[in-house]
Amino acid sequence: MPHDSAPAPASIPLPLGLPAMPARAAATGDERPAAPLGGPGPAPVERTGGAAERSDAGGERSDDLITGLVRAVTPVAVPVLDLGLPDARIADFLAGIAHADTGFVARTESGERALAVLAGTAAALCGMDIRAALAAPDVTFLRGLRPAAVRAVREVLLAVESDSPESVTRGVAVLTAGPGAGAAPRPDPPRGQ
């Protein structure tokens, strides 16, 4: 069958890029109750800055994963994830929230589970195996995340809340201490792997 149009004289380059991520909701400053596990709840409030963009005590922006991450339990207007749930349910939640318009707050009393949710969130954003990341967090990979990747993780995982934040903070401190803490960043994984 003949075509009605003449063939193009040369190939036409098309720009391939990802659309910008939508702004995520703020995790603090709102007294409305949160919806557990990302269920329907109050509308998220518009955020003015991501967790990783907030200033630390020195007034400079922080690009590490754990500065300001762990805090006491507070009322929030974003989804709240109970890290006591089975990994399969947490993985399903992370797969969805990684592409939502809002971030989330995780709640746990375990530093180990806080580290796992950091790894799972990074895996969800990178298109990696979320369940494997939850089961065996790759500390070296997390330490090597580039600043833009750290900011992306912290825009999704807004905070880890606990009734004993000091013990949870000690559990995630492995990301800033010990051998390999100053290692060179790993290259970003290929999109979709």
Side-chain angles (χ1 to χ4, degrees):
M1 229 190 256
H3 293 280
D4 292 339
S5 61
S11 60
I12 301 171
L14 297 175
L16 298 176
L18 298 174
M21 293 292 288
R24 300 201 181 268
T28 60
D30 194 333
E31 298 300 318
R32 295 177 291 175
L37 193 61
V45 294
E46 188 173 324
R47 81 174 170 89
T48 57
E53 296 171 353
R54 289 190 210 118
S55 295
D56 59 16
E60 296 181 22
R61 197 178 90 215
S62 173
D63 286 329
D64 72 66
L65 280 172
I66 65 171
T67 298
L69 176 68
V70 182
R71 66 183 186 202
V73 175
T74 59
V76 293
V78 295
V80 175
L81 176 63
D82 176 4
L83 297 184
L85 293 170
D87 281 358
R89 289 201 50 206
I90 293 173
D92 291 345
F93 174 84
L94 291 175
I97 198 77
H99 306 290
D101 288 341
T102 182
F104 75 100
V105 170
R107 289 198 176 141
T108 186
E109 300 305 314
S110 165
E112 184 177 290
R113 292 303 283 169
L115 185 60
V117 79
L118 273 167
T121 303
L125 289 169
C126 292
M128 298 166 65
D129 187 338
I130 301 169
R131 290 181 191 191
L134 290 168
D138 185 344
V139 172
T140 303
F141 173 76
L142 292 172
R143 285 178 179 160
L145 289 176
R146 294 181 179 175
V150 169
R151 287 190 298 274
V153 169
R154 291 298 307 276
E155 285 180 359
V156 175
L157 176 56
L158 302 172
V160 174
E161 294 187 337
S162 173
D163 288 327
S164 55
E166 297 82 20
S167 68
V168 174
T169 299
R170 282 191 300 274
V172 296
V174 66
L175 294 175
T176 60
R186 292 175 61 172
D188 290 336
R191 187 83 177 145
Q193 288 188 6

PDB file of all heavy atoms in Angstrom, residues 115-157:
ATOM      1  N   LEU A 115      17.052   2.320  58.754  1.00  0.00           N
ATOM      2  CA  LEU A 115      18.052   2.136  57.706  1.00  0.00           C
ATOM      3  C   LEU A 115      17.437   1.387  56.517  1.00  0.00           C
ATOM      4  O   LEU A 115      17.671   1.728  55.360  1.00  0.00           O
ATOM      5  CB  LEU A 115      19.257   1.368  58.262  1.00  0.00           C
ATOM      6  CG  LEU A 115      20.444   1.184  57.331  1.00  0.00           C
ATOM      7  CD1 LEU A 115      21.018   2.521  56.898  1.00  0.00           C
ATOM      8  CD2 LEU A 115      21.504   0.344  58.029  1.00  0.00           C
ATOM      9  N   ALA A 116      16.619   0.392  56.814  1.00  0.00           N
ATOM     10  CA  ALA A 116      15.960  -0.377  55.751  1.00  0.00           C
ATOM     11  C   ALA A 116      15.035   0.495  54.915  1.00  0.00           C
ATOM     12  O   ALA A 116      15.007   0.367  53.686  1.00  0.00           O
ATOM     13  CB  ALA A 116      15.193  -1.557  56.353  1.00  0.00           C
ATOM     14  N   VAL A 117      14.291   1.388  55.543  1.00  0.00           N
ATOM     15  CA  VAL A 117      13.367   2.226  54.769  1.00  0.00           C
ATOM     16  C   VAL A 117      14.131   3.248  53.928  1.00  0.00           C
ATOM     17  O   VAL A 117      13.704   3.596  52.831  1.00  0.00           O
ATOM     18  CB  VAL A 117      12.277   2.879  55.649  1.00  0.00           C
ATOM     19  CG1 VAL A 117      12.794   4.093  56.409  1.00  0.00           C
ATOM     20  CG2 VAL A 117      11.069   3.249  54.803  1.00  0.00           C
ATOM     21  N   LEU A 118      15.278   3.708  54.417  1.00  0.00           N
ATOM     22  CA  LEU A 118      16.129   4.570  53.582  1.00  0.00           C
ATOM     23  C   LEU A 118      16.563   3.820  52.329  1.00  0.00           C
ATOM     24  O   LEU A 118      16.480   4.327  51.211  1.00  0.00           O
ATOM     25  CB  LEU A 118      17.361   5.021  54.362  1.00  0.00           C
ATOM     26  CG  LEU A 118      17.226   6.270  55.211  1.00  0.00           C
ATOM     27  CD1 LEU A 118      18.398   6.410  56.168  1.00  0.00           C
ATOM     28  CD2 LEU A 118      17.110   7.490  54.323  1.00  0.00           C
ATOM     29  N   ALA A 119      17.035   2.591  52.521  1.00  0.00           N
ATOM     30  CA  ALA A 119      17.484   1.772  51.395  1.00  0.00           C
ATOM     31  C   ALA A 119      16.327   1.454  50.454  1.00  0.00           C
ATOM     32  O   ALA A 119      16.472   1.506  49.228  1.00  0.00           O
ATOM     33  CB  ALA A 119      18.128   0.485  51.899  1.00  0.00           C
ATOM     34  N   GLY A 120      15.171   1.131  51.007  1.00  0.00           N
ATOM     35  CA  GLY A 120      14.008   0.819  50.190  1.00  0.00           C
ATOM     36  C   GLY A 120      13.517   2.015  49.388  1.00  0.00           C
ATOM     37  O   GLY A 120      13.116   1.886  48.232  1.00  0.00           O
ATOM     38  N   THR A 121      13.574   3.190  49.998  1.00  0.00           N
ATOM     39  CA  THR A 121      13.163   4.414  49.295  1.00  0.00           C
ATOM     40  C   THR A 121      14.112   4.705  48.139  1.00  0.00           C
ATOM     41  O   THR A 121      13.677   5.020  47.029  1.00  0.00           O
ATOM     42  CB  THR A 121      13.110   5.603  50.273  1.00  0.00           C
ATOM     43  OG1 THR A 121      12.211   5.280  51.349  1.00  0.00           O
ATOM     44  CG2 THR A 121      12.636   6.867  49.580  1.00  0.00           C
ATOM     45  N   ALA A 122      15.417   4.575  48.391  1.00  0.00           N
ATOM     46  CA  ALA A 122      16.406   4.779  47.322  1.00  0.00           C
ATOM     47  C   ALA A 122      16.188   3.766  46.203  1.00  0.00           C
ATOM     48  O   ALA A 122      16.231   4.119  45.017  1.00  0.00           O
ATOM     49  CB  ALA A 122      17.821   4.678  47.876  1.00  0.00           C
ATOM     50  N   ALA A 123      15.919   2.516  46.567  1.00  0.00           N
ATOM     51  CA  ALA A 123      15.683   1.478  45.556  1.00  0.00           C
ATOM     52  C   ALA A 123      14.433   1.802  44.730  1.00  0.00           C
ATOM     53  O   ALA A 123      14.432   1.624  43.506  1.00  0.00           O
ATOM     54  CB  ALA A 123      15.539   0.113  46.222  1.00  0.00           C
ATOM     55  N   ALA A 124      13.384   2.278  45.383  1.00  0.00           N
ATOM     56  CA  ALA A 124      12.155   2.623  44.665  1.00  0.00           C
ATOM     57  C   ALA A 124      12.405   3.736  43.655  1.00  0.00           C
ATOM     58  O   ALA A 124      11.902   3.695  42.534  1.00  0.00           O
ATOM     59  CB  ALA A 124      11.064   3.032  45.653  1.00  0.00           C
ATOM     60  N   LEU A 125      13.200   4.703  44.030  1.00  0.00           N
ATOM     61  CA  LEU A 125      13.495   5.821  43.132  1.00  0.00           C
ATOM     62  C   LEU A 125      14.419   5.422  41.988  1.00  0.00           C
ATOM     63  O   LEU A 125      14.359   5.996  40.908  1.00  0.00           O
ATOM     64  CB  LEU A 125      14.123   6.974  43.921  1.00  0.00           C
ATOM     65  CG  LEU A 125      13.168   7.701  44.856  1.00  0.00           C
ATOM     66  CD1 LEU A 125      13.930   8.626  45.789  1.00  0.00           C
ATOM     67  CD2 LEU A 125      12.129   8.469  44.063  1.00  0.00           C
ATOM     68  N   CYS A 126      15.280   4.438  42.237  1.00  0.00           N
ATOM     69  CA  CYS A 126      16.251   3.993  41.213  1.00  0.00           C
ATOM     70  C   CYS A 126      15.700   2.872  40.344  1.00  0.00           C
ATOM     71  O   CYS A 126      16.379   2.421  39.414  1.00  0.00           O
ATOM     72  CB  CYS A 126      17.536   3.507  41.885  1.00  0.00           C
ATOM     73  SG  CYS A 126      18.463   4.808  42.690  1.00  0.00           S
ATOM     74  N   GLY A 127      14.519   2.364  40.656  1.00  0.00           N
ATOM     75  CA  GLY A 127      13.958   1.245  39.902  1.00  0.00           C
ATOM     76  C   GLY A 127      14.634  -0.070  40.234  1.00  0.00           C
ATOM     77  O   GLY A 127      14.665  -0.986  39.421  1.00  0.00           O
ATOM     78  N   MET A 128      15.174  -0.177  41.441  1.00  0.00           N
ATOM     79  CA  MET A 128      15.864  -1.389  41.880  1.00  0.00           C
ATOM     80  C   MET A 128      14.899  -2.269  42.683  1.00  0.00           C
ATOM     81  O   MET A 128      13.748  -1.902  42.908  1.00  0.00           O
ATOM     82  CB  MET A 128      17.092  -1.002  42.709  1.00  0.00           C
ATOM     83  CG  MET A 128      18.109  -0.198  41.901  1.00  0.00           C
ATOM     84  SD  MET A 128      19.380   0.613  42.900  1.00  0.00           S
ATOM     85  CE  MET A 128      20.247  -0.770  43.573  1.00  0.00           C
ATOM     86  N   ASP A 129      15.368  -3.407  43.148  1.00  0.00           N
ATOM     87  CA  ASP A 129      14.566  -4.358  43.913  1.00  0.00           C
ATOM     88  C   ASP A 129      14.334  -3.818  45.328  1.00  0.00           C
ATOM     89  O   ASP A 129      15.232  -3.841  46.168  1.00  0.00           O
ATOM     90  CB  ASP A 129      15.281  -5.710  43.965  1.00  0.00           C
ATOM     91  CG  ASP A 129      14.441  -6.805  44.595  1.00  0.00           C
ATOM     92  OD1 ASP A 129      13.500  -6.499  45.362  1.00  0.00           O
ATOM     93  OD2 ASP A 129      14.733  -7.974  44.309  1.00  0.00           O
ATOM     94  N   ILE A 130      13.134  -3.337  45.582  1.00  0.00           N
ATOM     95  CA  ILE A 130      12.801  -2.711  46.862  1.00  0.00           C
ATOM     96  C   ILE A 130      12.851  -3.726  47.994  1.00  0.00           C
ATOM     97  O   ILE A 130      13.395  -3.444  49.068  1.00  0.00           O
ATOM     98  CB  ILE A 130      11.419  -2.036  46.803  1.00  0.00           C
ATOM     99  CG1 ILE A 130      11.402  -0.974  45.696  1.00  0.00           C
ATOM    100  CG2 ILE A 130      11.051  -1.425  48.149  1.00  0.00           C
ATOM    101  CD1 ILE A 130      10.019  -0.432  45.377  1.00  0.00           C
ATOM    102  N   ARG A 131      12.292  -4.906  47.779  1.00  0.00           N
ATOM    103  CA  ARG A 131      12.277  -5.926  48.840  1.00  0.00           C
ATOM    104  C   ARG A 131      13.685  -6.343  49.229  1.00  0.00           C
ATOM    105  O   ARG A 131      13.986  -6.523  50.407  1.00  0.00           O
ATOM    106  CB  ARG A 131      11.457  -7.139  48.412  1.00  0.00           C
ATOM    107  CG  ARG A 131       9.975  -6.836  48.345  1.00  0.00           C
ATOM    108  CD  ARG A 131       9.173  -8.051  47.953  1.00  0.00           C
ATOM    109  NE  ARG A 131       7.808  -7.642  47.662  1.00  0.00           N
ATOM    110  CZ  ARG A 131       6.820  -8.475  47.490  1.00  0.00           C
ATOM    111  NH1 ARG A 131       7.011  -9.764  47.553  1.00  0.00           N
ATOM    112  NH2 ARG A 131       5.610  -8.028  47.230  1.00  0.00           N
ATOM    113  N   ALA A 132      14.570  -6.486  48.252  1.00  0.00           N
ATOM    114  CA  ALA A 132      15.965  -6.845  48.558  1.00  0.00           C
ATOM    115  C   ALA A 132      16.640  -5.726  49.350  1.00  0.00           C
ATOM    116  O   ALA A 132      17.397  -5.997  50.289  1.00  0.00           O
ATOM    117  CB  ALA A 132      16.739  -7.124  47.273  1.00  0.00           C
ATOM    118  N   ALA A 133      16.353  -4.481  48.997  1.00  0.00           N
ATOM    119  CA  ALA A 133      16.941  -3.346  49.717  1.00  0.00           C
ATOM    120  C   ALA A 133      16.433  -3.279  51.154  1.00  0.00           C
ATOM    121  O   ALA A 133      17.195  -2.956  52.073  1.00  0.00           O
ATOM    122  CB  ALA A 133      16.637  -2.049  48.984  1.00  0.00           C
ATOM    123  N   LEU A 134      15.160  -3.598  51.368  1.00  0.00           N
ATOM    124  CA  LEU A 134      14.616  -3.609  52.724  1.00  0.00           C
ATOM    125  C   LEU A 134      15.247  -4.718  53.563  1.00  0.00           C
ATOM    126  O   LEU A 134      15.562  -4.524  54.737  1.00  0.00           O
ATOM    127  CB  LEU A 134      13.095  -3.802  52.690  1.00  0.00           C
ATOM    128  CG  LEU A 134      12.262  -2.638  52.163  1.00  0.00           C
ATOM    129  CD1 LEU A 134      10.826  -3.079  51.920  1.00  0.00           C
ATOM    130  CD2 LEU A 134      12.310  -1.454  53.117  1.00  0.00           C
ATOM    131  N   ALA A 135      15.439  -5.878  52.949  1.00  0.00           N
ATOM    132  CA  ALA A 135      15.966  -7.042  53.664  1.00  0.00           C
ATOM    133  C   ALA A 135      17.456  -6.905  53.975  1.00  0.00           C
ATOM    134  O   ALA A 135      17.914  -7.369  55.023  1.00  0.00           O
ATOM    135  CB  ALA A 135      15.721  -8.311  52.849  1.00  0.00           C
ATOM    136  N   ALA A 136      18.213  -6.285  53.072  1.00  0.00           N
ATOM    137  CA  ALA A 136      19.665  -6.166  53.256  1.00  0.00           C
ATOM    138  C   ALA A 136      20.128  -4.814  52.728  1.00  0.00           C
ATOM    139  O   ALA A 136      20.619  -4.716  51.598  1.00  0.00           O
ATOM    140  CB  ALA A 136      20.377  -7.307  52.539  1.00  0.00           C
ATOM    141  N   PRO A 137      19.972  -3.732  53.524  1.00  0.00           N
ATOM    142  CA  PRO A 137      20.372  -2.404  53.059  1.00  0.00           C
ATOM    143  C   PRO A 137      21.854  -2.359  52.684  1.00  0.00           C
ATOM    144  O   PRO A 137      22.700  -2.853  53.416  1.00  0.00           O
ATOM    145  CB  PRO A 137      20.094  -1.502  54.262  1.00  0.00           C
ATOM    146  CG  PRO A 137      19.098  -2.240  55.087  1.00  0.00           C
ATOM    147  CD  PRO A 137      19.386  -3.696  54.872  1.00  0.00           C
ATOM    148  N   ASP A 138      22.156  -1.780  51.535  1.00  0.00           N
ATOM    149  CA  ASP A 138      23.526  -1.636  51.056  1.00  0.00           C
ATOM    150  C   ASP A 138      24.076  -0.303  51.555  1.00  0.00           C
ATOM    151  O   ASP A 138      23.891   0.742  50.930  1.00  0.00           O
ATOM    152  CB  ASP A 138      23.542  -1.706  49.527  1.00  0.00           C
ATOM    153  CG  ASP A 138      24.926  -1.676  48.934  1.00  0.00           C
ATOM    154  OD1 ASP A 138      25.899  -1.294  49.648  1.00  0.00           O
ATOM    155  OD2 ASP A 138      25.063  -2.028  47.747  1.00  0.00           O
ATOM    156  N   VAL A 139      24.754  -0.344  52.700  1.00  0.00           N
ATOM    157  CA  VAL A 139      25.273   0.864  53.338  1.00  0.00           C
ATOM    158  C   VAL A 139      26.267   1.578  52.428  1.00  0.00           C
ATOM    159  O   VAL A 139      26.253   2.804  52.321  1.00  0.00           O
ATOM    160  CB  VAL A 139      25.895   0.524  54.713  1.00  0.00           C
ATOM    161  CG1 VAL A 139      26.603   1.719  55.313  1.00  0.00           C
ATOM    162  CG2 VAL A 139      24.814   0.012  55.659  1.00  0.00           C
ATOM    163  N   THR A 140      27.113   0.835  51.734  1.00  0.00           N
ATOM    164  CA  THR A 140      28.096   1.440  50.833  1.00  0.00           C
ATOM    165  C   THR A 140      27.392   2.210  49.718  1.00  0.00           C
ATOM    166  O   THR A 140      27.790   3.328  49.380  1.00  0.00           O
ATOM    167  CB  THR A 140      29.024   0.359  50.240  1.00  0.00           C
ATOM    168  OG1 THR A 140      29.641  -0.338  51.323  1.00  0.00           O
ATOM    169  CG2 THR A 140      30.078   0.971  49.348  1.00  0.00           C
ATOM    170  N   PHE A 141      26.342   1.638  49.154  1.00  0.00           N
ATOM    171  CA  PHE A 141      25.575   2.312  48.109  1.00  0.00           C
ATOM    172  C   PHE A 141      24.953   3.596  48.655  1.00  0.00           C
ATOM    173  O   PHE A 141      25.037   4.658  48.027  1.00  0.00           O
ATOM    174  CB  PHE A 141      24.490   1.385  47.563  1.00  0.00           C
ATOM    175  CG  PHE A 141      23.556   2.051  46.597  1.00  0.00           C
ATOM    176  CD1 PHE A 141      23.952   2.319  45.297  1.00  0.00           C
ATOM    177  CD2 PHE A 141      22.274   2.411  46.979  1.00  0.00           C
ATOM    178  CE1 PHE A 141      23.100   2.940  44.395  1.00  0.00           C
ATOM    179  CE2 PHE A 141      21.404   3.039  46.099  1.00  0.00           C
ATOM    180  CZ  PHE A 141      21.823   3.306  44.799  1.00  0.00           C
ATOM    181  N   LEU A 142      24.338   3.521  49.841  1.00  0.00           N
ATOM    182  CA  LEU A 142      23.692   4.695  50.426  1.00  0.00           C
ATOM    183  C   LEU A 142      24.706   5.791  50.736  1.00  0.00           C
ATOM    184  O   LEU A 142      24.447   6.967  50.519  1.00  0.00           O
ATOM    185  CB  LEU A 142      22.914   4.308  51.681  1.00  0.00           C
ATOM    186  CG  LEU A 142      21.683   3.438  51.437  1.00  0.00           C
ATOM    187  CD1 LEU A 142      21.101   2.953  52.759  1.00  0.00           C
ATOM    188  CD2 LEU A 142      20.644   4.161  50.609  1.00  0.00           C
ATOM    189  N   ARG A 143      25.876   5.420  51.248  1.00  0.00           N
ATOM    190  CA  ARG A 143      26.920   6.410  51.532  1.00  0.00           C
ATOM    191  C   ARG A 143      27.403   7.090  50.256  1.00  0.00           C
ATOM    192  O   ARG A 143      27.836   8.231  50.285  1.00  0.00           O
ATOM    193  CB  ARG A 143      28.122   5.740  52.196  1.00  0.00           C
ATOM    194  CG  ARG A 143      27.921   5.383  53.635  1.00  0.00           C
ATOM    195  CD  ARG A 143      29.158   4.698  54.138  1.00  0.00           C
ATOM    196  NE  ARG A 143      29.035   4.337  55.537  1.00  0.00           N
ATOM    197  CZ  ARG A 143      29.779   3.412  56.106  1.00  0.00           C
ATOM    198  NH1 ARG A 143      30.696   2.752  55.418  1.00  0.00           N
ATOM    199  NH2 ARG A 143      29.612   3.136  57.384  1.00  0.00           N
ATOM    200  N   GLY A 144      27.361   6.385  49.147  1.00  0.00           N
ATOM    201  CA  GLY A 144      27.882   6.904  47.891  1.00  0.00           C
ATOM    202  C   GLY A 144      26.877   7.660  47.044  1.00  0.00           C
ATOM    203  O   GLY A 144      27.216   8.095  45.944  1.00  0.00           O
ATOM    204  N   LEU A 145      25.656   7.833  47.524  1.00  0.00           N
ATOM    205  CA  LEU A 145      24.669   8.572  46.733  1.00  0.00           C
ATOM    206  C   LEU A 145      25.133  10.003  46.501  1.00  0.00           C
ATOM    207  O   LEU A 145      25.638  10.659  47.411  1.00  0.00           O
ATOM    208  CB  LEU A 145      23.308   8.589  47.432  1.00  0.00           C
ATOM    209  CG  LEU A 145      22.546   7.282  47.473  1.00  0.00           C
ATOM    210  CD1 LEU A 145      21.258   7.451  48.286  1.00  0.00           C
ATOM    211  CD2 LEU A 145      22.224   6.764  46.084  1.00  0.00           C
ATOM    212  N   ARG A 146      24.949  10.477  45.290  1.00  0.00           N
ATOM    213  CA  ARG A 146      25.287  11.855  44.961  1.00  0.00           C
ATOM    214  C   ARG A 146      24.290  12.794  45.631  1.00  0.00           C
ATOM    215  O   ARG A 146      23.165  12.395  45.957  1.00  0.00           O
ATOM    216  CB  ARG A 146      25.256  12.036  43.455  1.00  0.00           C
ATOM    217  CG  ARG A 146      26.339  11.241  42.777  1.00  0.00           C
ATOM    218  CD  ARG A 146      26.298  11.450  41.306  1.00  0.00           C
ATOM    219  NE  ARG A 146      27.361  10.683  40.675  1.00  0.00           N
ATOM    220  CZ  ARG A 146      27.523  10.579  39.395  1.00  0.00           C
ATOM    221  NH1 ARG A 146      26.687  11.184  38.580  1.00  0.00           N
ATOM    222  NH2 ARG A 146      28.508   9.875  38.901  1.00  0.00           N
ATOM    223  N   PRO A 147      24.664  14.059  45.821  1.00  0.00           N
ATOM    224  CA  PRO A 147      23.763  15.010  46.495  1.00  0.00           C
ATOM    225  C   PRO A 147      22.362  15.089  45.881  1.00  0.00           C
ATOM    226  O   PRO A 147      21.370  15.163  46.607  1.00  0.00           O
ATOM    227  CB  PRO A 147      24.508  16.345  46.379  1.00  0.00           C
ATOM    228  CG  PRO A 147      25.948  15.940  46.363  1.00  0.00           C
ATOM    229  CD  PRO A 147      25.981  14.654  45.561  1.00  0.00           C
ATOM    230  N   ALA A 148      22.250  15.048  44.569  1.00  0.00           N
ATOM    231  CA  ALA A 148      20.921  15.115  43.947  1.00  0.00           C
ATOM    232  C   ALA A 148      20.090  13.885  44.305  1.00  0.00           C
ATOM    233  O   ALA A 148      18.880  13.982  44.532  1.00  0.00           O
ATOM    234  CB  ALA A 148      21.045  15.239  42.429  1.00  0.00           C
ATOM    235  N   ALA A 149      20.728  12.722  44.370  1.00  0.00           N
ATOM    236  CA  ALA A 149      20.014  11.500  44.746  1.00  0.00           C
ATOM    237  C   ALA A 149      19.600  11.554  46.214  1.00  0.00           C
ATOM    238  O   ALA A 149      18.503  11.123  46.573  1.00  0.00           O
ATOM    239  CB  ALA A 149      20.885  10.278  44.477  1.00  0.00           C
ATOM    240  N   VAL A 150      20.467  12.091  47.065  1.00  0.00           N
ATOM    241  CA  VAL A 150      20.129  12.242  48.482  1.00  0.00           C
ATOM    242  C   VAL A 150      18.910  13.144  48.630  1.00  0.00           C
ATOM    243  O   VAL A 150      17.975  12.831  49.369  1.00  0.00           O
ATOM    244  CB  VAL A 150      21.332  12.797  49.283  1.00  0.00           C
ATOM    245  CG1 VAL A 150      20.928  13.210  50.687  1.00  0.00           C
ATOM    246  CG2 VAL A 150      22.457  11.776  49.325  1.00  0.00           C
ATOM    247  N   ARG A 151      18.915  14.256  47.914  1.00  0.00           N
ATOM    248  CA  ARG A 151      17.762  15.170  47.991  1.00  0.00           C
ATOM    249  C   ARG A 151      16.489  14.488  47.511  1.00  0.00           C
ATOM    250  O   ARG A 151      15.422  14.669  48.097  1.00  0.00           O
ATOM    251  CB  ARG A 151      18.041  16.441  47.194  1.00  0.00           C
ATOM    252  CG  ARG A 151      19.037  17.357  47.888  1.00  0.00           C
ATOM    253  CD  ARG A 151      19.133  18.716  47.217  1.00  0.00           C
ATOM    254  NE  ARG A 151      19.603  18.643  45.834  1.00  0.00           N
ATOM    255  CZ  ARG A 151      20.870  18.629  45.464  1.00  0.00           C
ATOM    256  NH1 ARG A 151      21.825  18.661  46.377  1.00  0.00           N
ATOM    257  NH2 ARG A 151      21.199  18.588  44.185  1.00  0.00           N
ATOM    258  N   ALA A 152      16.587  13.674  46.469  1.00  0.00           N
ATOM    259  CA  ALA A 152      15.408  12.966  45.965  1.00  0.00           C
ATOM    260  C   ALA A 152      14.870  11.991  47.007  1.00  0.00           C
ATOM    261  O   ALA A 152      13.658  11.917  47.239  1.00  0.00           O
ATOM    262  CB  ALA A 152      15.740  12.226  44.674  1.00  0.00           C
ATOM    263  N   VAL A 153      15.764  11.250  47.668  1.00  0.00           N
ATOM    264  CA  VAL A 153      15.343  10.310  48.719  1.00  0.00           C
ATOM    265  C   VAL A 153      14.656  11.071  49.845  1.00  0.00           C
ATOM    266  O   VAL A 153      13.587  10.680  50.314  1.00  0.00           O
ATOM    267  CB  VAL A 153      16.535   9.493  49.256  1.00  0.00           C
ATOM    268  CG1 VAL A 153      16.154   8.723  50.517  1.00  0.00           C
ATOM    269  CG2 VAL A 153      17.052   8.533  48.186  1.00  0.00           C
ATOM    270  N   ARG A 154      15.241  12.197  50.261  1.00  0.00           N
ATOM    271  CA  ARG A 154      14.687  12.957  51.385  1.00  0.00           C
ATOM    272  C   ARG A 154      13.426  13.737  51.013  1.00  0.00           C
ATOM    273  O   ARG A 154      12.679  14.141  51.893  1.00  0.00           O
ATOM    274  CB  ARG A 154      15.756  13.881  51.966  1.00  0.00           C
ATOM    275  CG  ARG A 154      16.888  13.137  52.681  1.00  0.00           C
ATOM    276  CD  ARG A 154      16.415  12.325  53.878  1.00  0.00           C
ATOM    277  NE  ARG A 154      15.648  13.086  54.821  1.00  0.00           N
ATOM    278  CZ  ARG A 154      16.166  13.841  55.779  1.00  0.00           C
ATOM    279  NH1 ARG A 154      17.466  13.893  55.943  1.00  0.00           N
ATOM    280  NH2 ARG A 154      15.378  14.515  56.587  1.00  0.00           N
ATOM    281  N   GLU A 155      13.159  13.934  49.735  1.00  0.00           N
ATOM    282  CA  GLU A 155      11.891  14.534  49.347  1.00  0.00           C
ATOM    283  C   GLU A 155      10.769  13.509  49.407  1.00  0.00           C
ATOM    284  O   GLU A 155       9.605  13.870  49.489  1.00  0.00           O
ATOM    285  CB  GLU A 155      11.982  15.135  47.950  1.00  0.00           C
ATOM    286  CG  GLU A 155      12.753  16.438  47.928  1.00  0.00           C
ATOM    287  CD  GLU A 155      12.845  17.045  46.545  1.00  0.00           C
ATOM    288  OE1 GLU A 155      12.335  16.452  45.574  1.00  0.00           O
ATOM    289  OE2 GLU A 155      13.454  18.124  46.432  1.00  0.00           O
ATOM    290  N   VAL A 156      11.126  12.239  49.343  1.00  0.00           N
ATOM    291  CA  VAL A 156      10.127  11.173  49.472  1.00  0.00           C
ATOM    292  C   VAL A 156      10.022  10.754  50.936  1.00  0.00           C
ATOM    293  O   VAL A 156       8.943  10.761  51.515  1.00  0.00           O
ATOM    294  CB  VAL A 156      10.474   9.966  48.571  1.00  0.00           C
ATOM    295  CG1 VAL A 156       9.500   8.821  48.809  1.00  0.00           C
ATOM    296  CG2 VAL A 156      10.457  10.375  47.111  1.00  0.00           C
ATOM    297  N   LEU A 157      11.139  10.368  51.552  1.00  0.00           N
ATOM    298  CA  LEU A 157      11.166  10.009  52.976  1.00  0.00           C
ATOM    299  C   LEU A 157      11.456  11.284  53.754  1.00  0.00           C
ATOM    300  O   LEU A 157      12.598  11.698  53.912  1.00  0.00           O
ATOM    301  CB  LEU A 157      12.231   8.945  53.255  1.00  0.00           C
ATOM    302  CG  LEU A 157      12.427   8.562  54.726  1.00  0.00           C
ATOM    303  CD1 LEU A 157      11.129   8.085  55.363  1.00  0.00           C
ATOM    304  CD2 LEU A 157      13.513   7.515  54.856  1.00  0.00           C
TER     305      LEU A 157
END
